[in-house]
Amino acid sequence: MSKKPLLLLLFILLSSTNFGQNNSRIDSLLTAYNQHKEDTLKLRTINNLINYYMYRNTPEVKPYAEEMLSLARKLKNVKGESLALYQLGVYHYTIFETDSASNYYNQSLQLALKDEDVPRISSNYRGLSIIEFSQGNLSAADSINDLDLANSIKYEDSIGIALAYDFKGTINQNKGYYDIALANVQQGLKYFEALKDSVRIADCYNHLATLENNLGNTRKAIDYNLIALEVYQRENDVFYEAQALNDIGVMFKVLKDYEQSLEYLNKAITISEQAKANEVLISALTTVGEVYDEQGQPQQAIPYFEKAIRLAESLNSKRKIALAQNKMAEAYLAMRQPSQAMQLAEASLAYSVPNNTISFQKVSQRVKSQAYEQLGNYAKALEHHKNFKVLSDSIMNTETSDNIENLRAQFDLEKKEARLALQEQEIIALDAQAESDQLAKLLYGLGLAAAVIIGLLVIFGLRQRMRKNKIEREKQEAILRQEIEFKKKELASQTLHLVQKSTFIQELKENLEKIKASPELFKIEFRRLILLLKKERAEDKDWEVFKSYFSEVHNNFDDKIRKINDTITEKELRLASFLRMHLSTKEIASMLNVLPDSVLKSKYRLKQKLNLDKDTDLTEFLNTL
């Protein structure tokens, strides 16, 4: 199936509220909008109006987004300003103005990073990643999406994790790694199902349908699309309802069930015309033309191709224009009109050659070969047939290479899964050992009780056993002391490493602050810095390693704190651990990537949660645990 960049836009909608799809809701929103004063409540209402109109009546979005931006700046509300810039990015991407969209996303991202606004950081990463994807830069899209995934995992943002996995599936699908893409989307679906997010569950089913179709499981793909279609209809999400209807029509065409195909495609055309979903409309019109051509009715196909081309030209969608031109050229060949077919094939080549779209070139060369054959120019027909064969061989070689890469990537994924499975087995074994130890202790206690009853008859034996136990215990204690000393060294090393890493990130942020003053320098350096930051943080387990050593050296420190107050957060545990390590406020600020004042405030809040009075020193208290 063809790529659908607009379908990806739903991934970047991380707004706080999922509204009902009825007139009473929009009426109540407009009433609230007109009644609110210029305050944060009005900011939220405007944002909700933007979310409502984004895919129902897109032109309504821009004035609301600009008003939201102006109001947020007037109120000096940084989060509101970042959100307004982000919504302007979504709007401009929706109307195919990717440069403007990228500019707004970057502005929003800078504010979000400065304000540590985790959801907005993720949504902007996602928006920038989707722009790279829509422009065919799959590696760049994957790199930015990995930043989003790492950010979401770090802050335990379940919906962000789900969206990142789902989009990773779309990227791998377009790379041709269908099995891996399937695993990515299924991972995202698990999160969405846990969150009970019906619309995004429907999106995942749409993506699974595309993947199953690419894997040759078209019937299963249709079942997935029907599940998604039901959700979109229930939610009155007309844009994606049209998309789902179009996808089902395409799949029935693959099965050569043309009657069913036309039924769904015509519904898609009707709804997409009403919703002004022009991207979907172009795809549906082109596919209807293909259905008629495959049924031997090329005359009926031509008007659909012509309408699709005109609409694609109005959107400057060159890829869709070239696709429809090739399809219409094949219809003219079937009508024995080689000159028209030749002209359309040449027009398609004008797009596909500079863009190295080999699959389009292949069809154009085959059309030209057959057109020259109908004209009786067999030398030219042979020349273009040779071109067609060269391109076919090129595609076969590319597919072979892609299959090898797919196998490699799948092998890596299986190795990771095997490691996880092994870890799970080790955990089970440790649990079993713990149960065995408890049973042994119980039996030992019973043995002592029996020994008391038996009395003097076994005292000598008990004394002998106690001597042996003492010797064994002393050996174990010596070993444990060695292990603790080793882990203390490792803990100190990990602490130093975390300080160095935090220093690196701080320096990187300072460099970003320097270059943001120059827009030209920012554009040049932004991606390099992002990739450098990604490389520094890729597969980073430093905190987990530190936490593991710290817990063992300091005797389950985390559990002791949580027994005092079970609402202690992960960030507060980190702060407590660093204080126990006698790190200074400046060092802690560097490691947590915050200002020293913020550390002092966090220490005060932690002290309150631990129920400590003013005279009790927090660090001294933590050292007693």
Side-chain angles (χ1 to χ4, degrees):
M1 296 176 68
S2 61
K3 298 176 185 175
K4 307 177 190 68
L6 270 179
L7 184 59
L8 301 168
L9 269 172
L10 190 60
F11 293 175
I12 57 175
L13 290 178
L14 289 178
S15 302
S16 59
T17 310
N18 185 22
F19 287 93
Q21 314 294 327
N22 50 59
N23 291 332
S24 61
R25 179 55 60 91
I26 186 60
D27 289 343
S28 64
L29 282 174
L30 290 170
T31 300
Y33 166 77
N34 290 321
Q35 291 176 349
H36 286 321
K37 298 177 181 179
E38 290 190 336
D39 53 18
T40 55
L41 191 58
K42 185 157 191 172
L43 279 178
R44 284 198 291 271
T45 302
I46 297 173
N47 184 56
N48 293 335
L49 284 167
I50 292 169
N51 291 335
Y52 183 89
Y53 283 123
M54 188 68 77
Y55 296 106
R56 294 177 179 83
N57 191 355
T58 306
E60 292 282 345
V61 170
K62 188 177 182 181
Y64 282 119
E66 289 176 340
E67 181 185 357
M68 182 181 178
L69 179 60
S70 176
L71 178 57
R73 286 172 173 169
K74 182 178 179 180
L75 297 173
K76 296 182 180 180
N77 186 315
V78 178
K79 279 187 169 57
E81 183 179 354
S82 177
L83 179 56
L85 288 165
Y86 165 74
Q87 293 286 35
L88 281 166
V90 177
Y91 164 76
H92 282 284
Y93 183 81
T94 307
I95 62 172
F96 311 105
E97 294 178 356
T98 54
D99 287 342
S100 295
S102 180
N103 180 45
Y104 281 115
Y105 286 146
N106 278 314
Q107 288 184 59
S108 177
L109 179 61
Q110 293 311 304
L111 287 176
L113 287 168
K114 191 178 295 185
D115 194 48
E116 297 183 358
D117 185 349
V118 176
R120 197 60 47 222
I121 293 170
S122 278
S123 60
N124 283 297
Y125 277 145
R126 202 163 298 121
L128 291 165
S129 181
I130 288 169
I131 288 175
E132 294 290 351
F133 175 87
S134 68
Q135 294 174 346
N137 304 324
L138 299 185
S139 295
D142 203 16
S143 296
I144 298 173
N145 187 63
D146 282 344
L147 287 174
D148 175 27
L149 181 58
N151 184 68
S152 299
I153 290 172
K154 178 180 178 182
Y155 293 101
E156 300 177 352
D157 178 9
S158 296
I159 194 167
I161 295 170
L163 289 166
Y165 271 123
D166 195 28
F167 189 34
K168 197 167 187 67
T170 300
I171 293 169
N172 277 313
Q173 172 202 327
N174 281 266
K175 288 181 177 179
Y177 303 159
Y178 299 129
D179 293 341
I180 296 170
L182 195 62
N184 293 147
V185 176
Q186 287 171 341
Q187 185 76 5
L189 180 59
K190 287 179 184 177
Y191 278 93
F192 286 135
E193 287 177 335
L195 293 165
K196 297 181 180 180
D197 190 330
S198 61
V199 173
R200 291 191 172 99
I201 289 171
D203 295 337
C204 283
Y205 276 117
N206 254 340
H207 305 151
L208 288 171
T210 302
L211 287 164
E212 291 292 359
N213 185 56
N214 286 326
L215 291 167
N217 305 322
T218 307
R219 289 286 180 187
K220 190 171 184 179
I222 291 173
D223 291 339
Y224 283 147
N225 271 136
L226 288 171
I227 293 172
L229 176 62
E230 182 182 353
V231 175
Y232 295 140
Q233 288 174 334
R234 184 172 66 246
E235 298 291 335
N236 193 28
D237 194 336
V238 289
F239 184 96
Y240 292 101
E241 178 185 356
Q243 184 70 69
L245 288 166
N246 176 72
D247 291 348
I248 296 169
V250 170
M251 291 181 192
F252 274 119
K253 182 185 80 71
V254 171
L255 295 172
K256 299 194 181 302
D257 186 342
Y258 297 123
E259 184 178 349
Q260 285 270 57
S261 177
L262 287 174
E263 179 183 342
Y264 281 98
L265 288 168
N266 285 325
K267 287 179 182 177
I269 289 171
T270 301
I271 293 175
S272 57
E273 284 177 336
Q274 293 171 353
K276 298 180 181 178
N278 290 329
E279 284 275 326
V280 180
L281 182 56
I282 294 167
S283 297
L285 289 168
T286 303
T287 308
V288 170
E290 289 183 74
V291 170
Y292 281 122
D293 190 33
E294 288 182 19
Q295 291 184 100
Q297 303 173 52
Q299 295 92 339
Q300 287 183 262
I302 296 294
Y304 287 95
F305 292 134
E306 289 176 337
K307 187 173 180 180
I309 291 171
R310 286 196 302 272
L311 189 55
E313 286 174 341
S314 71
L315 299 177
N316 195 30
S317 182
K318 295 178 182 178
R319 181 182 176 86
K320 289 186 179 291
I321 294 169
L323 175 65
Q325 285 170 335
N326 268 341
K327 298 298 181 184
M328 189 158 67
E330 291 177 324
Y332 274 120
L333 279 179
M335 294 166 61
R336 309 291 296 183
Q337 296 182 28
S339 297
Q340 289 90 331
M342 188 98 66
Q343 184 179 356
L344 286 162
E346 285 287 355
S348 181
L349 283 169
Y351 161 80
S352 59
V353 172
N355 288 279
N356 197 31
T357 311
I358 298 175
S359 59
F360 283 20
Q361 293 178 49
K362 174 185 165 184
V363 175
S364 300
Q365 292 292 347
R366 177 170 52 77
V367 167
K368 291 186 73 173
S369 175
Q370 293 175 356
Y372 275 120
E373 185 179 359
Q374 288 183 10
L375 291 168
N377 190 338
Y378 299 110
K380 281 287 188 181
L382 180 60
E383 176 189 336
H384 288 286
H385 180 71
K386 288 179 179 178
N387 292 339
F388 165 74
K389 288 295 291 179
V390 168
L391 291 166
S392 297
D393 292 341
S394 173
I395 289 175
M396 287 181 65
N397 291 335
T398 301
E399 289 175 347
T400 301
S401 176
D402 286 346
N403 286 335
I404 291 170
E405 289 301 318
N406 189 9
L407 289 171
R408 285 176 180 162
Q410 189 171 355
F411 178 68
D412 290 340
L413 181 65
E414 287 171 355
K415 284 198 298 184
K416 291 178 182 177
E417 290 175 346
R419 285 199 296 270
L420 288 173
L422 182 60
Q423 289 172 0
E424 289 177 1
Q425 290 298 321
E426 290 174 349
I427 291 169
I428 292 170
L430 288 171
D431 288 342
Q433 181 64 44
E435 290 179 3
S436 176
D437 290 345
Q438 289 177 351
L439 180 60
K441 289 176 182 177
L442 177 62
L443 291 173
Y444 185 71
L446 291 172
L448 287 175
V452 171
I453 295 171
I454 295 171
L456 296 174
L457 293 174
V458 293
I459 288 176
F460 179 76
L462 285 172
R463 285 178 177 175
Q464 292 296 320
R465 181 178 295 178
M466 289 173 66
R467 287 195 194 97
K468 290 180 181 178
N469 285 344
K470 182 179 179 182
I471 293 169
E472 190 66 27
R473 192 162 54 249
E474 288 173 351
K475 289 180 180 178
Q476 292 294 326
E477 287 173 355
I479 293 170
L480 285 172
R481 280 195 296 273
Q482 291 176 356
E483 288 180 353
I484 290 171
E485 286 302 315
F486 169 76
K487 286 171 182 175
K488 282 182 177 179
K489 292 178 181 178
E490 286 295 319
L491 180 58
S493 174
Q494 285 296 323
T495 304
L496 177 61
H497 183 56
L498 284 170
V499 171
Q500 291 171 339
K501 180 173 288 296
S502 299
T503 303
F504 165 81
I505 292 173
Q506 183 60 36
E507 289 175 355
L508 189 60
K509 285 182 70 177
E510 289 172 1
N511 286 337
L512 283 169
E513 290 293 327
K514 290 177 183 176
I515 65 173
K516 78 172 185 180
S518 170
E520 291 302 316
L521 182 59
F522 184 83
K523 288 180 181 177
I524 294 170
E525 292 292 324
F526 177 76
R527 186 176 298 168
R528 183 183 68 78
L529 290 171
I530 286 295
L531 292 176
L532 179 63
L533 184 59
K534 178 198 169 215
K535 180 180 178 183
E536 177 66 21
R537 296 177 62 188
E539 300 181 358
D540 192 355
K541 302 293 183 183
D542 292 337
W543 167 246
E544 292 301 323
V545 173
F546 174 92
K547 186 176 178 181
S548 173
Y549 281 125
F550 189 91
S551 179
E552 292 181 12
V553 171
H554 293 288
N555 198 18
N556 298 320
F557 180 79
D558 292 0
D559 294 337
K560 292 177 179 178
I561 289 184
R562 284 203 165 102
K563 283 182 181 178
I564 299 173
N565 189 330
D566 59 4
T567 65
I568 297 290
T569 66
E570 189 69 12
K571 283 186 177 180
E572 289 167 338
L573 283 175
R574 289 193 189 191
L575 174 61
S577 300
F578 294 148
L579 289 170
R580 181 69 183 264
M581 290 295 297
H582 300 289
L583 296 181
S584 68
T585 299
K586 185 177 180 180
E587 288 171 330
I588 295 172
S590 174
M591 293 176 72
L592 296 179
N593 199 21
V594 297
L595 295 172
D597 286 347
S598 180
V599 175
L600 294 174
K601 291 177 183 177
S602 298
K603 286 171 67 176
Y604 176 75
R605 287 195 294 269
L606 179 59
K607 195 171 180 179
Q608 285 186 318
K609 283 192 175 183
L610 295 174
N611 300 319
L612 301 178
D613 56 38
K614 294 180 181 180
D615 298 328
T616 303
D617 184 81
L618 176 59
T619 303
E620 289 180 1
F621 173 79
L622 293 173
N623 284 329
T624 65
L625 295 180

